[in-house]
Amino acid sequence: MRHHHMVSSLLALLTVVSLAVAYEVSFSDSDYSRQVCSGMWGGPETFINVTFDAGSSHGQVAMVIYEWKDVKYLGKVTSDTDDSLPKTYVCTTDAVNSGLCSYEDIGKFIFASEDPDDHTPLTQTSFWTASVAFTQAGAAESKSSSFWEDPQGPPTPPPEDHTSPWLPRGTAPVLVHVTPRDDEPLNPSPSGMLTYTSPIQYNVRKTGYYCVAVIPVTVMNPTTTRQTAFHSTYNGVVLFQNTFDGKLPAADYPKVNFYLFMFFAYALFGSAWAYICYKHLTELLPIQYYLSGLIGFLVIEMVANWVYYRYLNAHDKSMASTIFLFVVAILDAGRNALSFFMLLVVSLGLSVVRESLGKTMLKCQILAGAHFIFGVLYAVGIVELELESTSALVLLLFIIPLAFTLSGFLMWILYSLNGTMTQLTIRKQRYKLTMFKRLYYILLATVVIIAIFFVVSSMAFSDRLAEDYAAKSWRMRWWLLDGYLAILYFLSFWLIAYLWRPTEHNRR
């Protein structure tokens, strides 16, 4: 018996530890939205846990957990003649009298299909719904010193300790889920009212966008002789346990592996660049020293991004994470500003066509400074703002200034390149002219790709207020916001670095 007690306690401890490193969202009856949703990467050990605070949760709630593709089955049209009436989602006595649900389903979410030819049963969908009742805290405390009295008498335990289904007093219960057969539902809904005593677990085996909805139900107060209605209250946490261990939502976790990959890629190409520089150390030009410093800066930036998302995956958001965010944002904005500044002064022909840029250099520095500031604001904004709830004006305040400085850089660079190539043509310096022509083609292709990306991303984000936007875009949102531009920069940078690589003909 003692051995059984130790094993059960250890399993309970491991369960708590595993739940502590997952994405969590708090909810309460005072929230504007009654639904919590998140993408999930499905696997054999992934699940959703819904935990209510027993001390502050009273009354009764209607609860449903489902995958977004089955949202069409949620609720029933209230009236076929009046389209202004919203759908009825919870089965109440009025809904029963209107023929929208049956008496056995009172307190649960209504499962129905708008298509009369669709006869899909509840067990063949992702739906789990129940009427959840909370035990009164006062009643539990008043009986804390006595055993529960079964009306049918106390149960008789089996003679062998190791086969007993009853745990010793004080032992935390451990919920063990047995894998159902193919003909059984993965998450069967309870037939009657579910009295909440422990976290509700919903198994997830398929990747998708899952939602948990909780709606308070008005019930009659059983503790008074007079029938009075009271509004249910609750507080709780929804835990999304994905295939990975950590507190990041599934939509952001790919960034962890992405920035680790980018770090190795920059380190690999940087090592090759360092070898070539060492091989032609006596022939290096100033621009190649600048490029070497920028490569080292890029390696540090990729490490900082990777460490930042690793930190967020292991800790809750705090002042430390906010400071870390600003550091990463400054590095990212500094990388972009330095890169465009170097491209601009090279395109203006510094040290190739002219010895000094004069007042033009100050203008280049001001543009680089503005691009740096707007880059920091953009980097912080895309992490802190929620696209679904943020107004379009606020989003434009973060995007448009950066777009203007970026366009200014690109247009000025292309214009300067044309002027520099014209002077090299007049001077008949064909070798340098070939380098600048290739640079022109690389930048022109980059501008075209960015323009296409801007159109595609604008079309993608224009539908951000739609009800199913998050469900459709959660897998690829990180790619549109971070991955695509990072890959484009990587390719453009190393193509340009290849043109200005150290060779034995550097001084020509």
Side-chain angles (χ1 to χ4, degrees):
M1 205 48 194
R2 185 177 180 181
H3 174 72
H4 180 75
H5 172 78
M6 293 177 60
V7 172
S8 300
S9 300
L10 179 60
L11 289 175
L13 177 61
L14 292 177
T15 302
V16 172
V17 171
S18 65
L19 298 184
V21 286
Y23 178 53
E24 297 180 348
V25 181
S26 301
F27 65 92
S28 70
D29 60 287
S30 61
D31 292 339
Y32 175 77
S33 177
R34 302 295 188 184
Q35 186 168 252
V36 173
C37 298
S38 176
M40 288 199 68
W41 303 102
E45 298 180 357
T46 54
F47 57 85
I48 299 173
N49 253 42
V50 182
T51 304
F52 290 93
D53 180 20
S56 60
S57 300
H58 307 283
Q60 183 178 333
V61 297
M63 180 175 167
V64 65
I65 306 176
Y66 65 96
E67 205 275 322
W68 185 264
K69 66 180 178 61
D70 292 329
V71 71
K72 59 184 177 181
Y73 298 115
L74 184 62
K76 197 169 186 178
V77 176
T78 303
S79 175
D80 295 330
T81 58
D82 190 356
D83 295 336
S84 63
L85 294 176
K87 294 176 68 175
T88 300
Y89 291 99
V90 178
C91 184
T92 60
T93 52
D94 291 338
V96 173
N97 295 333
S98 301
L100 299 178
C101 58
S102 61
Y103 181 80
E104 293 77 11
D105 294 329
I106 285 183
K108 299 181 180 180
F109 275 81
I110 298 175
F111 175 83
S113 175
E114 298 179 359
D115 186 0
D117 297 328
D118 188 354
H119 304 290
T120 304
L122 176 68
T123 55
Q124 293 184 10
T125 66
S126 61
F127 264 77
W128 179 94
T129 181
S131 177
V132 182
F134 303 109
T135 57
Q136 297 299 319
E141 292 175 1
S142 64
K143 296 183 179 181
S144 60
S145 61
S146 62
F147 291 101
W148 171 67
E149 296 180 1
D150 192 337
Q152 299 180 358
T156 302
E160 298 180 6
D161 292 339
H162 68 275
T163 60
S164 173
W166 293 275
L167 295 179
R169 293 189 63 188
T171 302
V174 178
L175 185 60
V176 179
H177 291 273
V178 180
T179 304
R181 300 193 305 265
D182 293 338
D183 58 341
E184 293 181 350
L186 181 63
N187 300 289
S189 300
S191 56
M193 182 177 294
L194 176 63
T195 301
Y196 180 81
T197 56
S198 61
I200 299 171
Q201 183 164 309
Y202 177 93
N203 294 298
V204 176
R205 296 297 175 263
K206 296 181 179 179
T207 298
Y209 192 74
Y210 289 84
C211 296
V212 178
V214 181
I215 295 181
V217 177
T218 301
V219 296
M220 305 305 294
N221 192 342
T223 61
T224 60
T225 56
R226 185 180 177 182
Q227 293 294 318
T228 57
F230 71 97
H231 188 72
S232 302
T233 60
Y234 58 86
N235 289 279
V237 175
V238 180
L239 181 143
F240 297 91
Q241 179 63 61
N242 282 275
T243 52
F244 59 90
D245 291 329
K247 295 179 177 293
L248 279 176
D252 290 336
Y253 185 76
K255 297 179 183 179
V256 176
N257 296 326
F258 174 74
Y259 283 112
L260 179 61
F261 168 79
M262 294 300 296
F263 160 68
F264 283 119
Y266 274 108
L268 179 63
F269 279 80
S271 300
W273 175 270
Y275 172 75
I276 296 175
C277 289
Y278 177 77
K279 187 177 180 180
H280 304 285
L281 188 59
T282 58
E283 301 292 329
L284 292 182
L285 298 175
I287 186 64
Q288 290 161 348
Y289 283 105
Y290 297 150
L291 282 173
S292 300
L294 184 55
I295 291 172
F297 185 89
L298 291 172
V299 173
I300 295 174
E301 185 206 1
M302 293 300 110
V303 172
N305 277 280
W306 176 65
V307 173
Y308 169 68
Y309 283 104
R310 287 278 296 178
Y311 180 86
L312 288 183
N313 194 48
H315 304 84
D316 294 321
K317 286 189 176 181
S318 60
M319 181 60 69
S321 64
T322 303
I323 296 175
F324 211 154
L325 171 63
F326 276 98
V327 172
V328 171
I330 290 172
L331 290 175
D332 181 72
R335 179 270 311 264
N336 293 331
L338 288 174
S339 301
F340 285 119
F341 176 77
M342 289 181 59
L343 276 176
L344 181 57
V345 296
V346 168
S347 301
L348 288 169
L350 181 64
S351 301
V352 176
V353 178
R354 63 192 73 178
E355 294 294 330
S356 174
L357 297 180
K359 294 183 178 180
T360 305
M361 175 62 76
L362 179 60
K363 296 179 181 179
C364 296
Q365 293 171 347
I366 293 175
L367 181 59
H371 190 74
F372 171 74
I373 294 173
F374 296 144
V376 172
L377 295 177
Y378 175 80
V380 173
I382 63 174
V383 175
E384 292 295 320
L385 296 179
E386 296 183 1
L387 297 180
E388 293 82 3
S389 59
T390 305
S391 65
L393 179 61
V394 174
L395 290 176
L396 290 177
L397 290 177
F398 282 89
I399 296 175
I400 287 182
L402 183 64
F404 271 113
T405 55
L406 177 62
S407 301
F409 259 126
L410 293 176
M411 295 304 172
W412 196 357
I413 289 171
L414 293 176
Y415 178 80
S416 301
L417 269 177
N418 283 325
T420 302
M421 287 189 295
T422 299
Q423 295 188 38
L424 291 175
T425 301
I426 295 175
R427 296 179 182 181
K428 297 182 180 181
Q429 296 179 329
R430 295 185 178 86
Y431 186 83
K432 295 181 180 180
L433 178 61
T434 301
M435 292 178 59
F436 278 91
K437 280 186 176 181
R438 291 174 179 174
L439 175 63
Y440 177 84
Y441 294 142
I442 292 173
L443 296 180
L444 184 62
T446 302
V447 171
V448 172
I449 295 174
I450 290 177
I452 295 174
F453 169 75
F454 180 77
V455 173
V456 173
S457 60
S458 298
M459 294 176 61
F461 292 129
S462 64
D463 200 29
R464 65 184 178 85
L465 297 180
E467 188 179 27
D468 59 347
Y469 170 76
K472 291 181 177 179
S473 64
W474 72 271
R475 298 192 203 190
M476 298 301 296
R477 190 184 307 178
W478 74 272
W479 175 254
L480 292 175
L481 294 176
D482 293 88
Y484 185 88
L485 293 177
I487 293 293
L488 179 61
Y489 178 89
F490 177 85
L491 295 176
S492 301
F493 175 81
W494 286 111
L495 285 174
I496 295 172
Y498 178 78
L499 292 178
W500 263 262
R501 70 192 186 278
T503 65
E504 60 273 12
H505 306 296
N506 262 355
R507 299 294 177 178
R508 288 180 53 181

